[in-house]
Amino acid sequence: MSSSQPEKSAAELARENEELRYRLEEAEELIEAVRTGAVDALAIQSADGPRIFTLEGADHGYRTLIEQMNEGAMLLSEDGTILYGNVCLAGWLNRSLEEVIGGVFEAFIPLEFHPYWHVLLARCWAAGKGKGELPLRAQDGSLRPLSLSMNVLNFHESPVLAVIATDLSAQEEIRVIQAQVAEQNAVIARKNEELNQQQQARRAIERVAAEASRMLEGIPQIAWTADAYGVTTYLNHRWFDFTGPDDGTPLHSQWQEHIFPADMAANNDRWEQCLRTGEPFEMEYRFRNHAGDYRWMLGRALPSRNAQGQIVQWIGTFTDIHEHKLALERIDQAQRQLQDNNAQLLRANVDLDNFIYTASHDLKAPISNIEGLLHALLLELPGPPAAEDQQVPQILTMMQDSVDRFKRTIEHLTEVTKLQKEHGHSAATVELGRLITEVQLDLTPLLQATGATVETDVESCPTISFSEKNLRSIVYNLLSNALKYRAPERVPQISIRCHAAGDYTVLRVQDNGLGLDLAQNGPKLFGMFQRLHDHVEGSGIGLYMVKKIVDNAGGRIEVESQVGVGSTFSVYFRR
């Protein structure tokens, strides 16, 4: 037997029907209130369908703040359904609240960001909170970058995810603006740095200019500057000390006012050439001073260039060279006079050579005739003269000796003439030891007669580059003089040595003969036909020829002597 509930009466059914209709109206009012925002509520999906939860005790002011703030706000269920969203969020998505609330949040995320969203969502549910960034796609397809801050909350014992979204577009714009501002600030900083550098450079230039001006004012010369076109821009006070006080004449006209008229054309031509080519300027000209006198000046100028090599100015000086110029003119005049004198001396030497040659040639014939007459006279004389006629042979012998001396004098004059013409005689390498030995052989009779000893030491300079004929004449004359002017009370001792001394080879001939008083006789020792000892036969031309030969070869001869002790002749041969 089955049990069954008692059937309800019509009155009960009418009452339940009325109750259900009331509850339905109440639910519809609640839903309408939730939809219009009059009541705070949450719709939670459950196994029995969506459940509506009113937010009991919610502060209306807080809700108003959430609705009106500039950040997006929403509540998400565990499956990502949007349980609540504010007006700002709906505006970003370009949709109405009705289209946003109840939708799935993932539907507004671009497909390529879904994996990132799943990971972020799982992490937030597990940790209870989290942060991330991702874009949302609006209805028109545009993307808006958002920063999400999420926290898990409980409503009526149901967990929800409260999300606050911040628009990053403004921050991107701010970053772009900040980047632009930073770039502009960098440009401004560079400009300021350039301005600072320019100011520092200008101050440095001003300091350099001041220092240069101070230096130019401190030098003893007239200093000046000109621009790249040659226009004078500066003159130091030395100019006005020279020309007189400044009378207001422009700087670029100062030169023309004081330059010597005849020097202006050449100066202008040279200055124009230097301006065109950049060559250093140098010119000598005359300027009128404050007394009205013209003085010679040396003008010099160099171009000053910038980093690009362009001429920016010229810096120059005027140096007073008037006295130097006059001295050069005097030297030039003296040189011309010396040249004239040398020409006259050359003519006189030529005339003298011609005279000596003519005289020696013309005298040879009469001397030869006299000698011939003497020989003829000897042939005409009878046999040996009587005792009372012994003077005749003596007179004839004296006449023959005079003729021989005259002939030797003529020969010496001829040698002097030849010596004048052998000034440039070619040199050869001469063995000095061999040549001294040959000269000793020529003087053997005199060496034997005097018993003289000759000590020779030329190992340090065995050869001399010189004319052998002239070197033989030098050694012969010095050695023969040492023998002829020997001291009668002692045996002659002669030393011949050689050594190097700088650019010269020195030949020294030392004797222990009579010696000389150089203070009295030194100036005429090497004169032609000068004889300081009359008791010895000679022509007085040997030392003259020695000195002439040495001087012609660029050397010199020196004498050291002491009366009663001896003499030393040092001959310097240039190497």
Side-chain angles (χ1 to χ4, degrees):
M1 172 176 156
S2 61
S3 63
S4 61
Q5 294 180 353
E7 294 183 359
K8 295 182 180 180
S9 63
E12 290 177 346
L13 291 175
R15 192 169 49 255
E16 288 181 0
N17 186 34
E18 185 65 26
E19 183 178 351
L20 290 174
R21 186 173 63 253
Y22 176 77
R23 291 174 61 186
L24 178 60
E25 290 177 356
E26 186 179 48
E28 288 177 351
E29 290 178 357
L30 178 60
I31 290 172
E32 181 65 20
V34 171
R35 182 180 293 112
T36 58
V39 176
D40 290 326
L42 291 176
I44 303 301
Q45 186 70 25
S46 65
D48 299 331
R51 298 174 61 190
I52 303 274
F53 298 93
T54 60
L55 300 182
E56 298 176 355
D59 181 70
H60 183 72
Y62 174 74
R63 180 180 180 280
T64 302
L65 175 63
I66 293 298
E67 289 293 336
Q68 295 183 357
M69 68 180 183
N70 292 327
E71 276 77 20
M74 59 182 172
L75 295 176
L76 299 180
S77 64
E78 290 183 279
D79 60 359
T81 301
I82 301 174
L83 302 176
Y84 168 77
N86 67 353
V87 176
C88 181
L89 178 64
W92 287 348
L93 297 175
N94 199 17
R95 297 174 183 273
S96 63
L97 279 174
E98 289 79 3
E99 295 177 293
V100 174
I101 296 176
V104 179
F105 182 66
E106 187 175 315
F108 304 110
I109 300 174
L111 184 61
E112 60 269 22
F113 286 91
H114 283 187
Y116 169 74
W117 167 246
H118 295 158
V119 173
L120 179 62
L121 191 62
R123 188 166 61 243
C124 290
W125 282 111
K129 61 181 178 179
K131 290 183 179 182
E133 293 183 3
L134 52 77
L136 295 183
R137 190 184 303 278
Q139 191 173 10
D140 59 1
S142 61
L143 297 178
R144 183 179 297 272
L146 298 177
S147 174
L148 304 180
S149 179
M150 298 173 284
N151 288 277
V152 176
L153 303 177
N154 288 315
F155 287 95
H156 296 282
E157 298 180 356
S158 297
V160 295
L161 191 62
V163 181
I164 299 296
T166 302
D167 189 357
L168 296 179
S169 300
Q171 295 184 9
E172 290 292 334
E173 294 177 359
I174 290 174
R175 281 196 291 269
V176 173
I177 294 173
Q178 287 176 341
Q180 293 176 350
V181 171
E183 183 178 356
Q184 292 177 356
N185 289 338
V187 172
I188 293 173
R190 288 195 299 270
K191 292 295 183 182
N192 290 335
E193 182 65 23
E194 291 176 359
L195 290 175
N196 290 334
Q197 292 178 355
Q198 291 175 359
Q199 291 176 354
Q200 293 176 0
R202 185 176 65 254
R203 287 193 292 268
I205 291 173
E206 291 174 352
R207 288 195 299 269
V208 171
E211 182 66 17
S213 177
R214 186 184 65 82
M215 293 177 60
L216 293 178
E217 288 294 339
I219 63 176
Q221 290 88 0
I222 296 172
W224 54 273
T225 60
D227 62 18
Y229 304 99
V231 179
T232 305
T233 56
Y234 168 79
L235 284 166
N236 70 351
H237 284 85
R238 297 293 180 274
W239 170 261
F240 299 103
D241 293 342
F242 178 78
T243 61
D246 187 4
D247 57 0
T249 303
L251 291 179
H252 64 270
S253 301
Q254 290 279 344
W255 290 16
Q256 289 77 1
E257 288 291 327
H258 295 86
I259 193 171
F260 189 66
D263 298 338
M264 184 175 295
N267 168 72
N268 291 341
D269 292 342
R270 178 58 183 161
W271 184 230
E272 290 292 338
Q273 180 183 359
C274 292
L275 292 176
R276 289 195 308 271
T277 62
E279 299 174 355
F281 173 78
E282 183 169 334
M283 190 77 183
E284 293 181 0
Y285 30 42
R286 288 158 286 186
F287 282 105
R288 186 181 69 252
N289 62 13
H290 58 84
D293 300 325
Y294 284 97
R295 295 185 64 85
W296 281 100
M297 292 283 184
L298 173 61
R300 287 176 174 171
L302 292 174
S304 177
R305 303 176 184 271
N306 58 17
Q308 290 73 35
Q310 300 170 335
I311 296 177
V312 294
Q313 70 172 348
W314 291 78
I315 302 176
T317 59
F318 291 143
T319 304
D320 192 325
I321 59 170
H322 191 73
E323 301 301 331
H324 176 69
K325 193 78 172 178
L326 295 181
L328 290 178
E329 291 179 357
R330 288 193 295 268
I331 293 173
D332 185 61
Q333 183 179 0
Q335 289 178 342
R336 287 196 300 269
Q337 185 175 357
L338 181 60
Q339 291 174 355
D340 294 341
N341 293 339
N342 287 339
Q344 293 178 3
L345 289 175
L346 289 175
R347 289 193 297 270
N349 286 335
V350 172
D351 294 342
L352 180 60
D353 291 343
N354 291 334
F355 170 75
I356 294 174
Y357 178 78
T358 303
S360 61
H361 182 272
D362 292 345
L363 289 174
K364 284 180 181 180
I367 291 300
S368 297
N369 291 337
I370 293 174
E371 189 175 19
L373 291 173
L374 284 175
H375 291 163
L377 182 60
L378 289 174
L379 293 175
E380 293 295 331
L381 289 174
E388 62 272 12
D389 295 331
Q390 289 296 322
Q391 289 184 347
V392 174
Q394 294 178 358
I395 294 174
L396 292 175
T397 301
M398 292 174 63
M399 291 178 64
Q400 184 62 49
D401 291 341
S402 297
V403 169
D404 291 341
R405 286 196 302 272
F406 203 174
K407 288 172 66 177
R408 286 196 300 271
T409 300
I410 293 175
E411 290 175 358
H412 289 155
L413 290 175
T414 304
E415 290 296 326
V416 171
T417 303
K418 292 180 180 179
L419 185 62
Q420 297 285 358
K421 297 179 180 179
E422 291 179 353
H423 177 65
H425 198 75
S426 59
T429 301
V430 182
E431 295 181 8
L432 187 56
R434 175 184 60 79
L435 186 140
I436 293 174
T437 300
E438 293 176 355
V439 171
Q440 286 181 270
L441 291 175
D442 294 340
L443 294 172
T444 299
L446 188 56
L447 289 169
Q448 292 176 349
T450 60
T453 59
V454 179
E455 181 185 357
T456 302
D457 181 9
V458 294
E459 292 182 358
S460 59
C461 45
T463 61
I464 292 181
S465 180
F466 206 75
S467 167
E468 183 171 355
K469 174 179 176 296
N470 291 339
L471 183 58
R472 182 186 299 275
S473 177
I474 292 171
V475 174
Y476 182 90
N477 279 283
L478 293 178
L479 186 56
S480 63
N481 280 354
L483 294 171
K484 288 190 293 184
Y485 299 106
R486 63 189 179 276
E489 69 275 9
R490 54 181 175 266
V491 177
Q493 293 181 352
I494 303 171
S495 171
I496 302 177
R497 301 180 184 276
C498 184
H499 68 276
D503 295 333
Y504 295 90
T505 298
V506 183
L507 178 67
R508 297 172 63 90
V509 180
Q510 183 177 10
D511 64 55
N512 63 342
L514 297 173
L516 300 168
D517 185 358
L518 295 179
Q520 181 179 358
N521 299 319
K524 50 184 182 179
L525 177 63
F526 296 102
M528 188 183 295
F529 304 118
Q530 295 292 330
R531 299 180 63 223
L532 304 182
H533 297 283
D534 294 334
H535 69 282
V536 178
E537 183 180 353
S539 62
I541 202 170
L543 289 180
Y544 170 80
M545 293 182 64
V546 170
K547 188 174 189 308
K548 195 68 176 177
I549 291 172
V550 174
D551 289 345
N552 287 346
R556 68 179 188 273
I557 183 169
E558 297 177 353
V559 183
E560 299 175 12
S561 185
Q562 184 176 352
V563 177
V565 177
S567 302
T568 301
F569 288 83
S570 300
V571 183
Y572 289 77
F573 298 94
R574 185 176 291 277
R575 291 183 178 181

